Amino acid sequence: MQQHRRQPELVEGSLPVFVFPTELLFYADDQASHKQVLTLYNPYEFALKFKVLCTAPNKYAVVDSAGAVKPQCCVDIVIRHRDVRACHYGVIDKFRLQVSEQSQRKALGRKEVIATLLPSTQEPRQHKQQQQQEEEKRIKEHLAESVFFEQASFQQESRAASAGPSLLTVFLGLVCVAALMLPTLGELESRVPVYLHLSVNKKLVAAYVLGLVTMVVLRT
């Protein structure tokens, strides 16, 4: 006997909502822009019902603010700006699209679309150019700082290289050379006092340290 798959119950607000565009721009000097179209997509295998809400309903007229979308289909929602005045320039309004299954009331998903009224179609271009100029300025400042730090680091390395080995390095090298010249412990014919005789292990340590000092001096 064939069993039907049971569709898992969706949690409220967890369903992704696909709508385009996500931003509406109205221009006071462009009559054609006073009418915008939102497209709501339904990629799912079940029908959806939708509802459009707005933070400023008196400024807009929404054609078919509620309706249904068939599975794997889309629907266009027409929005008209009906209060084009200078006092509304730059004010950001929001539209919220809520979707749910036709047999349920709870909203399975939500999507917000912002809407802005601008005085002229040149406004976004000027704003974009200003953003590009600011970005170029930040990049140039960053590059200038990088060059400055590289030059400062190079100068410090040059100074360190030209200064030669430190006095401590030279002194340590001389001590090691003197230690190697002292007689080895057990030599009887030496005129050097016995307490200055060094063991073989101590001379090996002095030779190792002298080799390290020599490497440091050669590098500088």
Side-chain angles (χ1 to χ4, degrees):
M1 182 177 179
Q2 187 178 2
Q3 294 182 351
H4 296 281
R5 287 185 179 180
R6 185 176 180 183
Q7 182 181 334
E9 186 176 354
L10 296 171
V11 181
E12 184 175 358
S14 64
L15 187 70
V17 179
F18 301 93
V19 62
F20 182 83
T22 57
E23 181 180 7
L24 300 177
L25 293 177
F26 300 90
Y27 304 103
D29 63 347
D30 186 3
Q31 186 71 26
S33 70
H34 298 177
K35 175 185 175 183
Q36 301 281 345
V37 178
L38 281 178
T39 302
L40 176 63
Y41 298 89
N42 180 12
Y44 306 106
E45 297 180 354
F46 52 90
L48 293 176
K49 62 180 181 180
F50 67 89
K51 185 177 183 180
V52 182
L53 305 175
C54 182
T55 56
N58 296 329
K59 294 165 59 175
Y60 303 92
V62 181
V63 181
D64 298 330
S65 60
V69 192
K70 296 179 180 180
Q72 299 179 354
C73 293
C74 63
V75 63
D76 291 335
I77 303 170
V78 179
I79 299 177
R80 290 188 176 90
H81 203 304
R82 58 184 184 184
D83 193 4
V84 180
R85 290 185 294 169
C87 59
H88 298 316
Y89 291 169
V91 178
I92 298 177
D93 301 319
K94 292 182 180 180
F95 289 91
R96 174 179 289 182
L97 281 80
Q98 295 183 171
V99 299
S100 59
E101 286 189 273
Q102 289 187 336
S103 59
Q104 297 182 2
R105 290 186 176 181
K106 63 179 180 180
L108 297 179
R110 301 177 180 87
K111 184 71 173 182
E112 288 190 351
V113 177
I114 62 175
T116 310
L117 175 64
L118 299 176
S120 173
T121 55
Q122 301 296 327
E123 190 81 11
R125 296 178 183 177
Q126 295 175 356
H127 182 65
K128 187 175 182 180
Q129 290 177 354
Q130 184 179 2
Q131 286 183 335
Q132 290 178 348
Q133 291 175 357
E134 292 177 355
E135 185 67 21
E136 291 177 358
K137 183 179 179 181
R138 285 195 295 266
I139 292 174
K140 290 179 180 178
E141 290 177 352
H142 178 71
L143 291 175
E145 291 177 357
S146 301
V147 172
F148 173 77
F149 287 134
E150 289 178 0
Q151 290 179 349
S153 177
F154 177 75
Q155 290 175 357
Q156 290 178 357
E157 292 177 357
S158 301
R159 290 174 183 174
S162 61
S166 64
L167 294 177
L168 178 61
T169 303
V170 175
F171 176 75
L172 187 59
L174 294 175
V175 171
C176 292
V177 171
L180 293 174
M181 294 178 64
L182 291 173
T184 307
L185 188 65
E187 294 183 7
L188 300 177
E189 297 180 356
S190 176
R191 297 181 180 180
V192 179
V194 178
Y195 63 86
L196 292 178
H197 290 202
L198 299 179
S199 63
V200 176
N201 292 334
K202 290 182 179 179
K203 286 197 172 185
L204 289 175
V205 172
Y208 177 74
V209 174
L210 181 61
L212 295 178
V213 171
T214 304
M215 293 177 61
V216 172
V217 172
L218 292 176
R219 287 182 179 178
T220 56

